[in-house]
Amino acid sequence: MGRTYVADDTVQKYLSSLHTAGGVCITGLLIGQLSLQRDYVLLSTKTPHRDSDGPGEGHSSSGLLDDADLEWATEHAKQVSQMLPGGMSVLGVFLIVPPELSKEAPSTLRRLVFAIEKHISKGRLWDLTEEDITERVTLQICSKTKKALCRSFDIKDPKSSAKPADWKYQPVSSSSWPLVTCTVALDLQISLPLKSLDDICIKEGLRSWANRIKAAVCLINGKLVADESELVPGQVRDSVGLLWFCDNVYQLILSLEDMGSSAVTQCCRSFISIRGAVHCRAYLQPNKPRAKHAVEAIRKDLMNTVSCRVNMLMEDLLMNEFNDQGVMTGVQPLPHRVFVALPASDFRLCDYVFPDESIADVAERLHEMLDSRVTEESIDSSLEPTHGTHTHTHTHTLLTIHIWYNSCYLDKNLFFICLGLLLAAGIAFLAMAASLIFITRLQ
Amino acid sequence: MILRLGGGLEFLCQLDVSDGKILLASLGLVWPQAVTSCTISFFLYFFLSFSEASQRQLEVSRSFADLRSRVKAESLVFSLTDSALFIWPNKSFQASLDDVDESTACGELLQYHLFLFFPPITCSSQPVVNLRFMMEITEPTEPSAPCLYRENKKHHCIRMVLPMDCVVTVRSDETFGSALSTQLSEMEAVTLRHMKDTDVPVPRPFHFSLPTSTELVTIVYPASVDDKGLESFRKELHNRFELPDDRPYFRRSNAFHFPDEPYKDGYLRNPHNHLNHPNIEGAKPYLVQGVYSYHHYMQDRMDDNGWGCAYRSLQTICSWFRQQGYMERTVPTHKEIQQALVDVGDKPAAFVGSRQWIGSIEVQAVLSHLLGVTSKILFVSQGSELPSQGRELANHFLTEGTPVMIGGGVLAHTILGVAWSETSGQIRFLILDPHYTGGEDLQTITDKGWCGWKGPEFWDQNAYYNLCLPQRPKAI
């Protein structure tokens, strides 16, 4: 009893449009949603062409893919997975092979699918649980006969063998996929101790933040809903009293348990503060989604978007440091999340834009990664705030003065305060005396 | 009814980062004001900028001020423990359950508990409503673009979780928000007072029930300073609340015990509270004051059946001193009691580990050696004469209020009180019997009389008895 993969008609169209020249094979990704009963393949995209001076694409003595190709393909998969909103993921890979190379195809596909999964899950802030589906699909298409062979692997078990799976084409529309959105305020403070590495500390800081997110309570439409209860669309009454359906409102609430810990003082060389609001978005399975799926989807998308952005920024800054632009201090904006609907489907994918990039760059990147042309108008950058006050811990405000004048804690300095007051009084007196003498002299 | 708000608030403070900038900025902002303040600030700038410690104190104060503004934010949420109720106190009391709003009586909040905790027969069963505070992170009021701020300066970073614990009585006008703010200010004061260089103690709130006020008083103590170091602070508190100087009210062990929190050690507390007073005309009850735990045979996996009764009575007395705050160490075991007697020279070294009995004199010696407590010894030549000691015992419970150990015949018991009539001389004794070998079952103990009122016939009329009456040390 294998898994069933339902692929959209656009996927079929795309796969049949890919031509291979000569004895070359094409790899690519299958993107969609995993759910308990069946998996939906919504999008497919081929691995972009790698400009290399090495041997021609695909051929090498160690099988259909050499190590550089494998690395390229896994990197492409990671970039694409960062462009997916919550609920959608890279389901697997496809491989279009000429008939004479089809014998090596299964092992290549196996290598590819395990390598991709390993690379995508590196640096992820959450781990796969028992409830997550760990089957990934491999699709082998013969370039001459166009016959497709579908198999699935359990990526949790490194020794798993291929299991046969069903593959069928069916029109899939996004309207039956419930959408979950919310805006979350971030407030992370990471201290970097003296003898530590930047990326380890940042990873540690992100992990402890992620643990709090995992333990957070999620209210749906302002109420605590049982995990297994079905998700119903929200309802709101308007001024006339009519009932309208609206999107559900999700609220995340964090708490901190007092573990009776002691105060930790560390000597640090630097600190990092991450603040601002991020927009989270996730698609749920169309077939009777439960409250727990919605909560999990929001949490995962939140963790993914934050870790992805922070890593992107740190990599960018590291490159600047190498180019001798000096170590970064001060405020750096994190990449901004924009959403775009692909021409062939209703689902919206996302991308991250640095402040020095433009919408045209986004379109270019989408073309390269997902092999589809989008118009600049279809890119929506309004869902996240683009500006705001950067309030960080060391802005000096009147608050400080207030504390200063009201502080009676400076016992040690009471002596100095009295001395200061005395001197001030003395100088005022001298000034007064001097001015009096001066005035009388003038007279 | 008690409304208790708890939770952790993360405190993060970076020391030695500003480098005098705070003072410079303060100077600049103070300039438009009066000239005198300028001169003062001018001099203070020079003196204070040389003082690292005051810089650090300002930075700690700033972090506390940040936290105070945070608890006033709209994203503060209260959640009723073990229920589906969430309240936004700063957002016009929005709640997660439809029929709760500002006007909901606090007593009604109890019904939203998904499962209520019924404590096993409490004497003053005040229901406690436990709220935890949390922060909402979605739908921020002023969303701003996400940014990363980095400062590369060597500094000290202090991180701790402040254990917030506020108690609000229902009748008071004080809202929870201001209660949290007040507690943060108190924590700030304690932290600054006990801060050493870059080490800060964790300020922990304790609640005390005082005879001079009906409401619980909350005091914040630094975790790193023990009770001895806080003695001067306690003196101030005694003055402030007009309490006598001879008995402790503000030690950590005196903290109010909330009815819904079970005791962690498993011993029964004050089983005599579940008994009815004997019905004698003209007799007034004179009882032990405060809390003790019931120690008896076979506890702590120690088989002392037949020889350990006086040891157990001594343990009950020690537990009283511990819970009234006079003793910080744990209740001594049999071996520790025997070792104490060897240490004072009363018994030979072979005594330790033996199963030998002890009497009132030994109890007096151990109390003196381990706790520094003096005790009076009362001697009665015949058990029949015990009722004549009624006045003495009544007086003891009135002034000292400590449990009394009585040994005689072949048995030792603990007297927790007397019901004595001054006119008729009739007397009943409240006895806690250490010879009980069962489990901590309150029902059995009270029903079968292991803790119960006994008449004068309880004593062996011909045997002589020694009573050890521990005296309260005069200390705060």
Side-chain angles (χ1 to χ4, degrees):
Chain A
M1 185 183 73
R3 291 199 69 82
T4 311
Y5 291 91
V6 174
D8 191 27
D9 291 336
T10 51
V11 172
Q12 183 183 32
K13 242 186 277 175
Y14 179 76
L15 289 173
S16 45
S17 73
L18 293 172
H19 299 294
T20 70
V24 160
C25 52
I26 301 177
T27 59
L29 301 174
L30 295 168
I31 297 156
Q33 190 181 73
L34 298 161
S35 81
L36 208 55
Q37 270 97 24
R38 54 179 58 178
D39 302 324
Y40 297 90
V41 180
L42 305 164
L43 193 64
S44 58
T45 175
K46 71 171 198 284
T47 309
H49 188 78
R50 176 171 67 100
D51 298 320
S52 66
D53 305 315
E57 313 101 342
H59 269 304
S60 101
S61 50
S62 61
L64 295 172
L65 283 180
D66 60 10
D67 286 338
D69 282 330
L70 192 72
E71 208 182 300
W72 183 251
T74 55
E75 189 53 40
H76 172 238
K78 181 159 189 153
Q79 300 276 343
V80 168
S81 75
Q82 284 174 355
M83 290 173 147
L84 302 177
M88 288 174 68
S89 56
V90 173
L91 296 180
V93 290
F94 67 81
L95 183 67
I96 301 179
V97 283
E100 52 272 17
L101 296 169
S102 55
K103 247 194 300 216
E104 295 152 15
S107 63
T108 308
L109 281 168
R110 185 178 204 282
R111 237 173 102 208
L112 195 58
V113 82
F114 273 91
I116 283 176
E117 188 63 35
K118 186 167 165 210
H119 194 61
I120 289 180
S121 52
K122 226 189 276 183
R124 208 159 54 182
L125 292 175
W126 46 273
D127 301 312
L128 288 172
T129 62
E130 265 136 34
E131 296 200 2
D132 289 315
I133 294 153
T134 51
E135 299 277 334
R136 301 286 179 264
V137 66
T138 60
L139 192 68
Q140 178 187 339
I141 302 174
C142 176
S143 59
K144 205 187 270 181
T145 62
K146 302 288 178 198
K147 197 157 160 257
L149 195 60
C150 180
R151 281 180 288 253
S152 70
F153 289 92
D154 182 359
I155 42 98
K156 229 170 39 181
D157 177 13
K159 293 196 190 60
S160 73
S161 56
K163 287 192 270 283
D166 280 333
W167 178 269
K168 50 181 165 193
Y169 291 107
Q170 206 177 301
V172 168
S173 130
S174 74
S175 53
S176 49
W177 258 261
L179 182 64
V180 166
T181 60
C182 73
T183 310
V184 176
L186 296 177
D187 189 6
L188 280 100
Q189 316 282 342
I190 305 175
S191 323
L192 303 171
L194 272 183
K195 291 190 177 56
S196 65
L197 292 169
D198 271 9
D199 48 348
I200 293 180
C201 289
I202 291 172
K203 205 182 283 187
E204 197 46 55
L206 284 173
R207 267 219 173 255
S208 61
W209 171 80
N211 286 338
R212 291 183 66 189
I213 297 291
K214 284 179 209 163
V217 171
C218 186
L219 298 181
I220 301 180
N221 292 331
K223 293 194 190 345
L224 194 66
V225 180
D227 275 346
E228 294 299 328
S229 63
E230 261 186 59
L231 211 59
V232 287
Q235 292 177 336
V236 73
R237 270 193 202 281
D238 66 2
S239 48
V240 195
L242 290 174
L243 211 57
W244 290 91
F245 287 112
C246 65
D247 281 336
N248 286 336
V249 173
Y250 296 87
Q251 289 165 297
L252 283 172
I253 303 176
L254 293 184
S255 75
L256 207 72
E257 284 307 310
D258 160 34
M259 298 295 175
S261 58
S262 54
V264 174
T265 307
Q266 274 178 319
C267 197
C268 302
R269 57 181 169 82
S270 175
F271 73 86
I272 289 176
S273 148
I274 301 174
R275 283 202 182 161
V278 294
H279 183 84
C280 300
R281 181 176 273 252
Y283 288 98
L284 301 179
Q285 62 174 40
N287 187 24
K288 289 213 188 87
R290 311 252 163 217
K292 64 178 179 180
H293 296 138
V295 171
E296 262 319 292
I298 284 262
R299 276 204 255 254
K300 282 183 181 159
D301 187 59
L302 175 62
M303 291 191 271
N304 285 345
T305 185
V306 170
S307 70
C308 169
R309 285 187 230 211
V310 171
N311 289 332
M312 282 171 84
L313 182 66
M314 296 314 293
E315 271 170 25
D316 198 45
L317 294 172
L318 207 65
M319 264 197 332
N320 287 346
E321 276 177 40
F322 274 133
N323 298 341
D324 284 332
Q325 282 182 30
V327 179
M328 179 278 282
T329 56
V331 177
Q332 293 283 339
L334 283 171
H336 182 72
R337 198 178 196 187
V338 298
F339 290 90
V340 56
L342 293 184
S345 78
D346 306 327
F347 291 96
R348 284 168 127 196
L349 303 183
C350 67
D351 192 20
Y352 295 100
V353 187
F354 276 96
D356 52 352
E357 289 178 332
S358 67
I359 296 290
D361 292 325
V362 176
E364 186 62 45
R365 205 163 29 232
L366 280 164
H367 174 62
E368 194 192 332
M369 290 287 150
L370 296 171
D371 200 18
S372 60
R373 287 240 169 257
V374 290
T375 56
E376 289 184 18
E377 289 78 37
S378 62
I379 299 175
D380 183 4
S381 56
S382 63
L383 287 168
E384 271 198 358
T386 41
H387 57 270
T389 49
H390 304 300
T391 48
H392 288 277
T393 38
H394 288 275
T395 48
H396 306 300
T397 63
L398 272 164
L399 193 60
T400 326
I401 320 303
H402 187 66
I403 299 166
W404 195 28
Y405 280 135
N406 285 345
S407 65
C408 14
Y409 317 125
L410 308 175
D411 308 4
K412 282 195 218 167
N413 297 300
L414 207 55
F415 168 69
F416 288 120
I417 292 176
C418 291
L419 193 63
L421 281 169
L422 220 68
L423 276 168
I427 288 193
F429 177 72
L430 279 171
M432 222 166 42
S435 53
L436 273 171
I437 293 169
F438 198 61
I439 289 169
T440 48
R441 276 239 182 122
L442 275 177
Q443 285 171 354
Chain B
M1 196 180 72
I2 303 174
L3 277 172
R4 192 176 179 195
L5 179 63
L9 206 55
E10 191 173 14
F11 174 83
L12 187 70
C13 180
Q14 279 111 9
L15 299 178
D16 311 330
V17 183
S18 347
D19 204 21
K21 282 193 217 146
I22 289 182
L23 293 157
L24 200 55
S26 347
L27 183 64
L29 283 159
V30 152
W31 192 256
Q33 291 174 3
V35 176
T36 37
S37 60
C38 277
T39 27
I40 294 171
S41 55
F42 185 64
F43 281 100
L44 278 172
Y45 171 72
F46 274 115
F47 288 116
L48 291 179
S49 63
F50 294 140
S51 162
E52 220 176 41
S54 54
Q55 283 267 30
R56 290 180 175 154
Q57 293 193 326
L58 282 173
E59 277 161 340
V60 169
S61 294
R62 152 183 240 100
S63 301
F64 271 104
D66 271 337
L67 283 176
R68 274 197 291 271
S69 61
R70 203 175 276 220
V71 298
K72 294 210 178 76
E74 283 192 357
S75 53
L76 186 70
V77 181
F78 292 151
S79 94
L80 187 62
T81 47
D82 303 324
S83 81
L85 181 60
F86 291 86
I87 302 172
W88 279 254
N90 297 329
K91 214 179 189 178
S92 62
F93 235 79
Q94 197 183 316
S96 71
L97 292 175
D98 287 324
D99 33 354
V100 175
D101 61 18
E102 248 177 88
S103 53
T104 312
C106 293
E108 287 174 30
L109 286 178
L110 274 176
Q111 66 181 287
Y112 294 110
H113 267 280
L114 288 175
F115 47 92
L116 280 177
F117 175 85
F118 283 104
I121 328 166
T122 48
C123 43
S124 62
S125 38
Q126 278 192 321
V128 179
V129 175
N130 277 311
L131 295 173
R132 294 207 72 78
F133 71 82
M134 308 160 107
M135 290 287 179
E136 183 191 344
I137 54 171
T138 41
E139 309 307 327
T141 42
E142 288 163 10
S144 58
C147 294
L148 190 142
Y149 170 75
R150 182 169 180 159
E151 173 109 26
N152 280 330
K153 188 180 188 300
K154 190 167 158 213
H155 64 284
H156 286 94
C157 180
I158 304 176
R159 226 181 244 269
M160 64 176 162
V161 175
L162 294 174
M164 308 295 298
D165 191 356
C166 305
V167 162
V168 176
T169 49
V170 186
R171 282 178 303 278
S172 69
D173 291 326
E174 196 187 359
T175 60
F176 268 116
S178 61
L180 280 174
S181 207
T182 317
Q183 186 156 96
L184 278 171
S185 304
E186 286 171 22
M187 286 184 166
E188 182 184 347
V190 164
T191 308
L192 288 173
R193 199 196 263 215
H194 292 99
M195 190 170 132
K196 279 192 197 43
D197 273 351
T198 53
D199 285 319
V200 296
V202 177
R204 192 169 281 276
F206 290 88
H207 307 286
F208 298 98
S209 160
L210 303 176
T212 50
S213 79
T214 46
E215 295 179 2
L216 287 174
V217 169
T218 309
I219 308 288
V220 178
Y221 286 139
S224 54
V225 183
D226 63 0
D227 276 337
K228 209 176 282 192
L230 293 167
E231 199 173 324
S232 54
F233 185 42
R234 283 203 298 279
K235 223 177 232 145
E236 277 175 43
L237 290 170
H238 275 246
N239 285 337
R240 205 201 313 172
F241 290 100
E242 293 164 9
L243 293 166
D245 260 346
D246 59 354
R247 53 177 63 182
Y249 287 100
F250 286 108
R251 296 205 186 193
R252 288 191 175 99
S253 339
N254 298 121
F256 179 75
H257 177 258
F258 286 90
D260 60 340
E261 274 175 0
Y263 284 102
K264 290 193 199 90
D265 52 22
Y267 297 116
L268 285 178
R269 299 291 196 282
N270 290 30
H272 73 272
N273 280 331
H274 306 283
L275 298 170
N276 294 319
H277 290 317
N279 213 350
I280 307 177
E281 206 177 297
K284 272 186 6 187
Y286 301 87
L287 296 178
V288 65
Q289 300 168 23
V291 181
Y292 61 89
S293 21
Y294 181 19
H295 291 263
H296 56 78
Y297 278 168
M298 312 302 276
Q299 271 181 347
D300 317 317
R301 285 186 291 267
M302 176 70 171
D303 183 356
D304 57 337
N305 195 349
W307 59 272
C309 45
Y311 292 84
R312 295 296 182 182
S313 177
L314 175 54
Q315 284 181 335
T316 302
I317 295 174
C318 289
S319 77
W320 185 93
F321 278 98
R322 179 173 153 82
Q323 285 171 92
Q324 262 51 247
Y326 293 104
M327 179 175 93
E328 278 191 29
R329 55 152 296 159
T330 52
V331 170
T333 60
H334 290 56
K335 270 229 169 74
E336 284 167 351
I337 294 168
Q338 290 172 334
Q339 186 60 50
L341 286 168
V342 171
D343 289 342
V344 293
D346 191 58
K347 297 276 186 240
F351 183 61
V352 180
S354 68
R355 299 167 127 227
Q356 288 185 35
W357 297 355
I358 55 173
S360 312
I361 308 297
E362 284 84 3
V363 168
Q364 179 190 40
V366 174
L367 284 174
S368 165
H369 181 69
L370 286 181
L371 278 67
V373 165
T374 53
S375 327
K376 261 205 290 205
I377 297 285
L378 262 184
F379 170 74
V380 238
S381 50
Q382 280 186 303
S384 48
E385 281 175 39
L386 261 171
S388 63
Q389 298 292 333
R391 184 182 294 277
E392 186 77 44
L393 285 169
N395 219 26
H396 169 84
F397 286 112
L398 210 55
T399 52
E400 308 296 332
T402 58
V404 170
M405 178 262 175
I406 179 168
V410 288
L411 303 170
H413 291 95
T414 314
I415 303 180
L416 296 173
V418 289
W420 177 66
S421 162
E422 195 163 352
T423 47
S424 64
Q426 284 204 58
I427 189 168
R428 293 281 181 280
F429 300 90
L430 179 57
I431 303 293
L432 189 68
D433 199 339
H435 301 93
Y436 172 62
T437 51
E440 311 308 321
D441 180 8
L442 185 62
Q443 203 63 39
T444 312
I445 289 167
T446 48
D447 285 348
K448 296 275 171 31
W450 294 104
C451 175
W453 288 96
K454 313 281 181 204
E457 65 283 355
F458 179 73
W459 309 110
D460 185 341
Q461 303 297 300
N462 300 315
Y464 69 85
Y465 283 94
N466 267 327
L467 291 90
C468 174
L469 282 70
Q471 307 294 298
R472 259 189 202 261
K474 301 267 179 288
I476 58 164

